[in-house]
Amino acid sequence: MDNRILFLLSKGVSHTGTKLFTFSLSWYILSETGSGLNFSLSLLVNYLPAIIMSAFAGYISDRTSQPNRLLVLCDLASAAVCVLPPLHMGLASVYTVIFLLSMISAIFNNTIDTHLPRLEGINGGEDLKKLTSMAQFITSGVNIAAPSLGGFLVKTLPIQMFAVINIVSFLLSAFGEVFLCYRPRPMQEKAAQGTNPGSIPAYIFRDKKLRTFMIGDSLGNFCFSAGFNVAFPLIVTVTLGISSSGYGLITSSTAVGSVLCALARTKRPCRAEFQYPYTKTGGLGVLMLLLALIARFPYHPVWTAAVLCAINFSVGWLAVDINIQTKTTMQIYVDSRYLGKILGFSTSISYILIPLSLAFGGTASEIWPSYLLSAGAGALLLAALGLLRLSELRGVHTNC
């Protein structure tokens, strides 16, 4: 079987089982406790190991010469962790499973992203971008289908059965990954494998392009989490008073945008250049400003819903487009000896900023109207990107 197809099948099976399982765990916490605090604690338990492990995962994946073995080991470890709920069901075991799966996932995802350029069948940047887009398409599709399927199955199946489904998915994924073939590291890369680049943050900030990517991603994650992820539900349900069915329809348009973007990029990959996507990230800032503007217009059942669907569709499209371009740009241009560490550090920063941003947005929404939160975050993102671009241009002129 083609290496790329085997990779996509393994990823699809594993992600489907994981999404169904995490949905069932979330449902269990809410149905058993009815506590928002307990649910929030599950999110915290999911974030903490990702923050801690992502940077460490880069050191592991950079040092492995046979990534398929590490991927198989991660899947087998995840399957072993999922045995806990059938043996002993309770909140303590649920939190333990969430924590351990998040820790293993940090290593697994970093290994995939680090070594994907060496996968047999990937010949150059175009193949890499197409495969990344196809993987994103599968991920987005599963993210749409799994909660719907989980909502149906959770009424008929016990939570323990979801754990069994996830165990089977991990074992099938591990079986497929055994047969993945990766090209060996170049001799010069092996010779330099023990080279210490120094502090990874210092290494990133010495490189102007990498520094721009790091700052731009950090700003984008922080502003968007507060200005959209927090503000949007409040604007739709509280400010505009849209029903739950309307809210569900509007939010589903985000997933549609992400799936169509991933599908489009499999046919027409984005340009391969080491340049931060200012325009696309700035587009998210413009959408937040538009969201704030819609909140101040008189409500119309049809036109308001249509505009909100268009905003969410655009958000889904841009978020996936930025993710694909950023990831593939790093994989193509960053020194492969340090790629895992850089990706791990970047992921850690994102996972630190997102909870802080959500906490800030939630607190701010108690003080200011939600449309001001969206407008402020959008304006801040655009201003920060403008300053970042101006600083980059000045650096180029200075070097000239």
Side-chain angles (χ1 to χ4, degrees):
M1 183 181 290
D2 187 283
N3 231 15
R4 291 166 294 183
I5 296 175
L6 191 59
F7 168 78
L8 293 172
L9 286 175
S10 298
K11 182 178 179 62
V13 168
S14 174
H15 190 58
T16 301
T18 300
K19 288 297 291 185
L20 286 172
F21 188 47
T22 53
F23 175 86
S24 67
L25 292 181
S26 299
W27 179 263
Y28 175 82
I29 293 171
L30 290 172
S31 61
E32 290 294 314
T33 68
S35 168
L37 177 61
N38 283 323
F39 182 70
S40 299
L41 181 59
S42 71
L43 298 178
L44 180 63
V45 168
N46 185 59
Y47 268 118
L48 279 178
I51 294 172
I52 298 168
M53 285 298 298
S54 289
F56 179 65
Y59 287 86
I60 298 176
S61 59
D62 276 341
R63 290 180 176 275
T64 184
S65 58
Q66 296 179 313
N68 57 330
R69 292 186 180 180
L70 183 55
L71 294 176
V72 169
L73 184 61
C74 286
D75 273 339
L76 293 179
S78 297
V81 168
C82 293
V83 173
L84 185 58
L87 294 178
H88 182 270
M89 198 66 204
L91 282 180
S93 63
V94 167
Y95 289 139
T96 301
V97 168
I98 292 173
F99 183 89
L100 292 175
L101 285 181
S102 179
M103 182 179 293
I104 298 168
S105 178
I107 300 174
F108 183 88
N109 291 332
N110 188 283
T111 302
I112 284 182
D113 291 340
T114 301
H115 295 278
L116 194 59
R118 296 200 295 115
L119 186 69
E120 288 284 356
I122 301 297
N123 300 308
E126 290 297 304
D127 285 346
L128 179 61
K129 287 182 287 185
K130 287 181 180 180
L131 185 61
T132 301
S133 298
M134 285 189 283
Q136 183 65 61
F137 174 72
I138 291 173
T139 299
S140 299
V142 170
N143 288 345
I144 296 173
S148 301
L149 180 60
F152 172 75
L153 292 177
V154 80
K155 297 178 182 179
T156 57
L157 297 177
I159 302 300
Q160 291 87 339
M161 196 63 204
F162 283 89
V164 173
I165 293 172
N166 203 24
I167 291 171
V168 172
S169 74
F170 279 128
L171 294 178
L172 289 174
S173 177
F175 179 76
E177 286 155 0
V178 168
F179 300 100
L180 289 178
C181 297
Y182 290 84
R183 287 186 294 272
R185 292 182 182 274
M187 293 305 297
Q188 62 270 25
E189 186 178 326
K190 288 182 179 179
Q193 197 62 27
T195 303
N196 184 6
S199 167
I200 290 299
Y203 178 84
I204 291 172
F205 278 86
R206 282 197 302 268
D207 188 302
K208 293 178 181 178
K209 294 289 187 181
L210 281 178
R211 182 174 63 209
T212 300
F213 269 88
M214 182 63 62
I215 296 174
D217 275 353
S218 300
L219 289 170
N221 282 326
F222 186 85
C223 293
F224 186 75
S225 295
F228 192 88
N229 291 337
V230 174
F232 174 76
L234 294 174
I235 289 174
V236 172
T237 58
V238 178
T239 305
L240 298 176
I242 295 176
S243 66
S244 58
S245 58
Y247 176 68
L249 175 64
I250 293 167
T251 53
S252 65
S253 59
T254 306
V256 174
S258 64
V259 168
L260 291 181
C261 176
L263 181 61
R265 288 308 180 195
T266 63
K267 304 295 183 182
R268 188 179 179 183
C270 52
R271 290 184 300 170
E273 56 180 355
F274 204 1
Q275 177 66 49
Y276 185 76
Y278 287 102
T279 303
K280 294 172 185 176
T281 307
L284 294 177
V286 172
L287 290 172
M288 285 188 277
L289 292 176
L290 183 57
L291 177 62
L293 189 62
I294 291 299
R296 302 305 299 154
F297 269 87
Y299 172 69
H300 187 282
V302 177
W303 291 110
T304 301
V307 173
L308 289 173
C309 283
I311 290 174
N312 274 264
F313 178 90
S314 301
V315 164
W317 183 288
L318 287 174
V320 167
D321 213 11
I322 292 168
N323 182 50
I324 292 173
Q325 183 173 344
T326 301
K327 185 179 294 185
T328 54
T329 297
M330 292 284 188
Q331 289 169 333
I332 292 170
Y333 289 101
V334 171
D335 190 325
S336 59
R337 293 173 293 172
Y338 316 131
L339 178 58
K341 301 180 187 69
I342 291 171
L343 290 174
F345 179 78
S346 176
T347 302
S348 292
I349 295 297
S350 295
Y351 278 129
I352 291 171
L353 286 176
I354 290 174
L356 291 176
S357 176
L358 294 174
F360 169 77
T363 303
S365 66
E366 297 293 324
I367 304 171
W368 305 317
S370 51
Y371 72 88
L372 285 181
L373 177 60
S374 182
L380 176 61
L381 179 57
L382 290 173
L385 288 175
L387 291 174
L388 188 61
R389 179 59 174 160
L390 183 61
S391 174
E392 187 180 37
L393 290 174
R394 283 180 177 175
V396 171
H397 292 318
T398 300
N399 291 336
C400 293

